[in-house]
Amino acid sequence: MLNDLESDLVERKASLTDPDRVRQAICAYANDLPNHQKPGFIFIGANDDGSCSDLEITDELLLKLSHMRDDGKIQPFPSLSIEKKLIKGCWMIVIKAEPSNSPPVRLNGVTWIRVGPRRAIATPEEERRLAERRRSRDLPFDLQSVPSAAIEDLNLELFENEYLPHATAPSVLAQNSRSIEDKLKALRFLDPDGQPTVLGILVVGKDTLRFIPGAYVQFLRLEGEDLTDPIRDQKEIVGPLPDLLRRTDEIVQANNPVSVSIVSKPVEIRRSDYPLPALQQLIRNAILHRTYEGTSSPVRIYWFSDRIEIHNPGGPYGLVTKENFGKPGVTDYRNPHLAEAMKVLGYVQRFGMGIQIARKQLQDNGNPPPEFTIEENYILATVRRIT
């Protein structure tokens, strides 16, 4: 394939001076507009004629390329393999990008495709063709259709005013030639037949619980250290994803006042019982990684006098096991397209870093490290109050 200069399944890069050009190629191969149903290959360290560019292949370069899978710029996550290979006496990096089963795939809100030997931005018609490629039997639960729902069950105003401007590049929005149905299909809120998906209901549904009974957060504040102690406050946080995340943040913040000390140090020290960013990361992790299929159980936040417990209905998934849970670099996604939506809305900045951020925030605040109970069908995160 390196020698085949006519193939539209091969790109060659002498170096990595422009990483986004590589991302564009990955995006184009993932979309597979010509429907080759074959992976595309990118050779890093090869000139345009296939000859060796004598690029130094370092661990740092390999790591930089591997981060392209889940740094959030390409959505949904592409399926990649990245290897260092000796070809014709020359060391190169070979990236293998598989066709996606849920196109269109976007880079920073732009759908890139392959047109013969060059890359291009997809037209509305080409995006429509890509959306029609999806087949429900191959898709994760968050992209499966909801047979009892209709487009009228989606909040189109919320979609167009709050979600769409963040999910689609301004240059694409400026074309303004696509119907609302095409926009919803392109962002996977409708299936190719116009049926709302689980993702659409979760993110912009008018009545989320009517279709997905467990899609809410239960908050319970207790006076003591046991569930039998008097209840101080309780709430059921319900709504489409933007409202759900916003209201959860507000409730957590309201229950976590900041104390100020002006005697322990020359300058005032502001500190809360729990660092807010740590709680946000752990709660958002629970909302993102939980199972929504076959359960009516919500994410539960139990706020005791000495600790907070965050109960997630859904055990480890995919590459994540009980043994490697929480280790840096080990992550997988039961709901990959919900992860995309949370990134679009600004509630996720770096994928796979939530637990590490929480640990660092707790340490800096003086709290003990988080504790995790990992079982087959649930995960419990416990955060203890500052002592």
Side-chain angles (χ1 to χ4, degrees):
M1 295 200 74
L2 178 65
N3 292 332
D4 187 356
L5 303 182
E6 302 299 324
S7 174
D8 64 350
L9 289 173
V10 177
E11 283 224 13
R12 302 160 193 81
K13 299 293 181 187
S15 65
L16 196 63
T17 54
D18 189 352
D20 269 355
R21 300 281 290 179
V22 175
R23 290 187 179 92
Q24 290 170 10
I26 292 171
C27 183
Y29 290 139
N31 281 318
D32 187 27
L33 182 67
N35 203 22
H36 292 304
Q37 299 184 29
K38 296 178 181 179
F41 292 86
I42 306 165
F43 293 87
I44 310 292
N47 296 313
D48 289 342
D49 60 1
S51 62
C52 184
S53 69
D54 296 318
L55 177 67
E56 182 183 3
I57 310 298
T58 63
D59 290 342
E60 181 183 359
L61 181 59
L62 286 164
L63 188 62
K64 188 174 183 179
L65 288 166
S66 67
H67 283 167
M68 289 184 179
R69 176 190 176 274
D70 54 8
D71 64 5
K73 292 188 175 184
I74 302 175
Q75 295 286 353
F77 302 116
S79 176
L80 302 178
S81 66
I82 300 171
E83 296 181 273
K84 178 181 177 181
K85 285 184 175 292
L86 184 65
I87 305 174
K88 297 195 299 183
C90 178
W91 284 107
M92 302 181 185
I93 298 175
V94 181
I95 303 174
K96 180 182 179 182
E98 299 283 355
S100 173
N101 65 358
S102 52
V105 177
R106 289 179 170 81
L107 168 63
N108 295 328
V110 176
T111 302
W112 290 90
I113 58 172
R114 190 80 182 199
V115 181
R118 67 179 182 87
R119 274 172 275 111
I121 296 174
T123 64
E125 175 59 32
E126 288 164 338
E127 281 204 353
R128 190 177 302 112
R129 286 168 53 194
L130 289 172
E132 290 171 354
R133 295 260 181 86
R134 297 198 295 267
R135 295 294 177 265
S136 61
R137 67 177 182 272
D138 301 324
L139 301 179
F141 181 69
D142 60 0
L143 278 198
Q144 293 182 20
S145 58
V146 181
S148 56
I151 191 171
E152 291 77 18
D153 294 306
L154 303 181
N155 186 331
L156 302 184
E157 183 178 347
L158 176 65
F159 171 73
E160 290 213 272
N161 294 338
E162 187 161 347
Y163 191 84
L164 187 63
H166 294 98
T168 306
S171 58
V172 176
L173 283 176
Q175 296 179 18
N176 200 29
S177 59
R178 294 178 297 171
S179 66
I180 185 66
E181 289 84 0
D182 285 340
K183 294 173 184 176
L184 289 162
K185 288 179 182 179
L187 290 169
R188 306 169 193 84
F189 289 0
L190 295 180
D191 71 11
D193 298 323
Q195 197 80 37
T197 61
V198 170
L199 178 69
I201 295 295
L202 286 174
V203 180
V204 295
K206 292 179 180 177
D207 186 358
T208 307
L209 297 190
R210 176 184 167 195
F211 304 101
I212 308 170
Y216 67 101
V217 175
Q218 184 184 69
F219 177 86
L220 188 65
R221 179 81 185 262
L222 298 121
E223 293 287 358
E225 301 177 6
D226 194 88
L227 278 172
T228 58
D229 288 324
I231 295 174
R232 181 172 168 180
D233 189 19
Q234 61 179 331
K235 290 181 172 63
E236 286 189 358
I237 310 168
V238 182
L241 187 66
D243 293 346
L244 181 76
L245 294 170
R246 184 163 46 239
R247 289 186 58 211
T248 301
D249 278 358
E250 290 170 355
I251 291 170
V252 169
Q253 191 165 7
N255 281 273
N256 190 38
V258 176
S259 61
V260 179
S261 172
I262 60 174
V263 296
S264 59
K265 297 285 183 180
V267 294
E268 70 177 31
I269 302 298
R270 302 178 65 86
R271 180 177 290 176
S272 55
D273 289 342
Y274 305 96
L276 182 62
L279 298 181
Q280 289 174 327
Q281 291 295 329
L282 294 173
I283 293 169
R284 291 169 189 175
N285 260 17
I287 293 170
L288 167 57
H289 291 290
R290 61 156 295 173
T291 179
Y292 289 91
E293 185 176 12
T295 180
S296 297
S297 179
V299 169
R300 292 185 171 92
I301 304 171
Y302 293 161
W303 196 302
F304 298 93
S305 60
D306 65 333
R307 71 194 186 279
I308 297 173
E309 294 182 356
I310 302 164
H311 297 252
N312 172 358
Y317 176 81
L319 297 176
V320 180
T321 65
K322 187 174 182 178
E323 291 71 29
N324 65 21
F325 181 90
K327 291 185 178 179
V330 180
T331 187
D332 211 334
Y333 295 89
R334 177 182 279 112
N335 307 300
H337 305 89
L338 185 62
E340 174 185 356
M342 291 179 71
K343 178 74 165 59
V344 165
L345 292 168
Y347 287 94
V348 174
Q349 282 72 47
R350 297 176 63 190
F351 286 111
M353 295 298 293
I355 292 176
Q356 282 68 48
I357 293 172
R359 283 177 174 148
K360 180 65 165 56
Q361 290 286 331
L362 289 166
Q363 180 182 1
D364 291 348
N365 198 59
N367 298 76
E371 304 164 17
F372 296 98
T373 302
I374 315 297
E375 299 296 342
E376 183 179 345
N377 58 352
Y378 78 92
I379 295 173
L380 166 63
T382 302
V383 180
R384 300 204 175 270
R385 184 176 177 178
I386 190 172
T387 54

